[in-house]
Amino acid sequence: QSQPDLQIDDPRNILLLEHLPFTIGKKEVKLEDLQPGSLTKRMLVDLAHNKKIKRCDHCIMVVGYDPESSNIYILDMWAEATQYSDLVNMLYRMAQRWNLNEFWLETVAAQNLLKFHIEERNEREDKLRKAGKAGHRSLRVSELPYDNSENAKKNRIEAIEPFARNGQIWVHVSNQKFVHQFSSYPSGLVDTLDTLGYIPKILAVGMSN
């Protein structure tokens, strides 16, 4: 247990991220295991609004990036069809779990869809802290440029293909929703793939910082 003050099943108590062997061509590769504290973590949010084709779930994803190997680790993920209020509740829960105080979201979604819910929740948490209760610190929105081009979703998803081809995307086998969508692409739903597809944009604005 890396932090004795936390519950044993808290994700931050993972002592080691273990890499299973994989193959590139005919060569088997086994990377060194690493401690999750060495990763730069970002939380991504993508919303299931009406213009999203093949989207039914909101998705929140906590991603760890290793600047030395350029590996991407899906550390935590939630994808459900819920009201925005439920989405925000989960957003704060995951932010607290991973000690994060910001999340990344496309500009149009931040301004038009979640702004009211986030501002209301920030005010509520601020009042709790001022009253000496355990309120979470306010969450900031880091906005990603909005892309409304015809093939934006497809291009976003396929931008992560080089990472996948080189064995640089890692996810726990228990995360079946992502594994299924990744394995069945381009058929079926793409909620989680669409969310992970924002990673190249975040890398471009300095995720390694």
Side-chain angles (χ1 to χ4, degrees):
Q1 193 171 2
S2 57
Q3 298 187 46
D5 56 318
L6 298 174
Q7 294 294 321
I8 191 66
D9 60 348
D10 191 299
R12 288 171 293 170
N13 266 325
I14 298 172
L15 291 174
L16 208 62
L17 291 175
E18 297 182 354
H19 295 90
L20 296 177
F22 65 101
T23 57
I24 297 180
K26 296 183 179 180
K27 182 180 179 181
E28 184 174 90
V29 180
K30 174 65 166 69
L31 302 181
E32 291 186 9
D33 301 330
L34 64 113
Q35 295 181 349
S38 65
L39 302 176
T40 300
K41 291 179 280 293
R42 296 289 185 267
M43 185 159 58
L44 321 176
V45 179
D46 198 16
L47 307 181
H49 49 89
N50 292 334
K51 293 183 180 180
K52 294 277 186 177
I53 301 173
K54 292 186 178 180
R55 288 298 306 270
C56 66
D57 289 342
H58 301 304
C59 185
I60 306 172
M61 187 178 288
V62 176
V63 175
Y65 175 68
D66 180 7
E68 292 189 10
S69 65
S70 296
N71 284 346
I72 295 168
Y73 297 86
I74 300 175
L75 301 173
D76 201 356
M77 195 193 76
W78 172 89
E80 299 289 344
T82 65
Q83 298 177 349
Y84 289 129
S85 57
D86 295 329
L87 167 69
V88 171
N89 287 339
M90 181 56 66
L91 182 59
Y92 272 82
R93 190 178 306 170
M94 290 173 68
Q96 188 167 19
R97 180 185 302 159
W98 293 97
N99 195 30
L100 300 170
N101 63 356
E102 68 174 345
F103 62 95
W104 293 76
L105 183 69
E106 267 194 339
T107 301
V108 67
Q111 292 180 348
N112 298 339
L113 299 172
L114 270 189
K115 184 177 180 181
F116 167 79
H117 297 281
I118 293 297
E119 289 180 349
E120 188 276 334
R121 182 60 180 266
N122 279 341
E123 290 178 4
R124 196 190 329 161
E125 297 293 333
D126 187 51
K127 288 179 180 178
L128 286 174
R129 292 195 307 274
K130 288 180 178 179
K133 299 179 181 178
H136 190 278
R137 56 186 172 174
S138 297
L139 288 183
R140 301 192 309 269
V141 181
S142 293
E143 297 184 359
L144 292 164
Y146 177 52
D147 184 354
N148 65 346
S149 61
E150 183 178 354
N151 295 316
K153 176 173 62 66
K154 178 177 181 291
N155 293 338
R156 190 161 52 239
I157 292 171
E158 295 185 358
I160 63 175
E161 190 273 339
F163 293 96
R165 184 176 64 248
N166 293 328
Q168 293 173 280
I169 296 177
W170 293 84
V171 61
H172 194 272
V173 68
S174 64
N175 201 327
Q176 285 298 303
K177 184 168 286 190
F178 177 85
V179 171
H180 174 72
Q181 292 185 8
F182 182 86
S183 302
S184 61
Y185 182 80
S187 302
L189 298 174
V190 295
D191 308 304
T192 63
L193 295 179
D194 196 11
T195 305
L196 187 62
Y198 288 103
I199 278 293
K201 290 185 179 180
I202 296 176
L203 293 175
V205 296
M207 186 171 177
S208 59
N209 294 333

